[in-house]
Amino acid sequence: MANMMRVGTPLVLALCVISLVLIGGVAEARRKPPQGPSSFKFYTHTRIYNPAVNNSAFDAVYSAGPLNFTQPNPFNFGVRATFESNITSGPLPNSTHLGVAQGIWIINSQSKFLLFHVFTATITDGPHKGTLAIFGQEDETLPTRELAVIGGTGDFLAARGVAISKLHFIDHVPPAHWTLLFDLDLYY
């Protein structure tokens, strides 16, 4: 019996080591590091008013009602909006379509024109496909604004970084619309 243990022990240890190496190799193969782009640029095209949409039913059910301010409100504190904007590769609305940006913004300061901005850029066309989660507060009075890239899926899996936003074009005439440039530096 002692001889069997001497012969069997090295064999069992060898099998355990081989199994661990194989399991580790399989696990390592599944943890392939993301290979997305290190920089990515896109334009969003937003309309703030669409006369064809009647929002009264939605507002009656889901809104807290009209804002009731008891103090002067020069910065429209508390105003919020949801948006769905086309994403293109260029500054013109008819540039190559890349996807859609969907999210919310809220004016969240009583002393400055600050927007709290949260949105997902869903990229469905072009060389890279996936989503980017973009989050942060921006001072609308600055020519360039920084938002955080806090994640992604698809080709942008685990992306993080910074999204530099610049106003490219604005037209205040109803239906008001504007174009923003987003220049992203991404890390994986």
Side-chain angles (χ1 to χ4, degrees):
M1 179 102 165
N3 285 339
M4 281 181 66
M5 288 185 101
R6 281 189 208 145
V7 172
T9 303
L11 181 60
V12 169
L13 286 174
L15 289 173
C16 287
V17 168
I18 291 170
S19 297
L20 288 173
V21 167
L22 290 175
I23 291 170
V26 169
E28 198 59 37
R30 276 188 267 159
R31 282 190 248 144
K32 217 168 72 172
Q35 301 295 320
S38 59
S39 63
F40 190 69
K41 186 184 291 190
F42 62 84
Y43 293 82
T44 61
H45 305 274
T46 304
R47 286 192 185 279
I48 195 164
Y49 171 71
N50 183 349
V53 176
N54 179 355
N55 291 317
S56 61
F58 178 86
D59 291 340
V61 174
Y62 295 103
S63 177
L67 301 174
N68 183 10
F69 295 106
T70 58
Q71 60 188 2
N73 190 28
F75 296 97
N76 295 315
F77 176 75
V79 170
R80 67 249 183 235
T82 57
F83 63 90
E84 181 175 82
S85 304
N86 285 328
I87 295 175
T88 64
S89 62
L92 299 175
N94 61 353
S95 299
T96 303
H97 183 265
L98 294 178
V100 65
Q102 297 167 308
I104 62 170
W105 56 258
I106 301 168
I107 298 176
N108 66 338
S109 176
Q110 295 184 30
S111 60
K112 295 172 86 176
F113 193 45
L114 299 177
L115 290 183
F116 176 71
H117 215 143
V118 180
F119 74 97
T120 302
T122 303
I123 309 300
T124 55
D125 300 312
H128 302 288
K129 293 173 178 54
T131 64
L132 289 159
I134 300 174
F135 173 93
Q137 180 167 288
E138 57 184 24
D139 184 338
E140 289 294 305
T141 63
L142 298 176
T144 61
R145 305 130 191 179
E146 293 182 0
L147 296 166
V149 177
I150 58 172
T153 65
D155 290 341
F156 305 103
L157 183 64
R160 60 196 186 287
V162 64
I164 306 295
S165 169
K166 295 179 186 176
L167 178 65
H168 178 76
F169 169 80
I170 190 165
D171 182 357
H172 295 281
V173 177
H177 61 281
W178 60 86
T179 301
L180 295 174
L181 163 65
F182 284 90
D183 194 357
L184 283 58
D185 288 321
L186 303 172
Y187 308 92
Y188 300 89

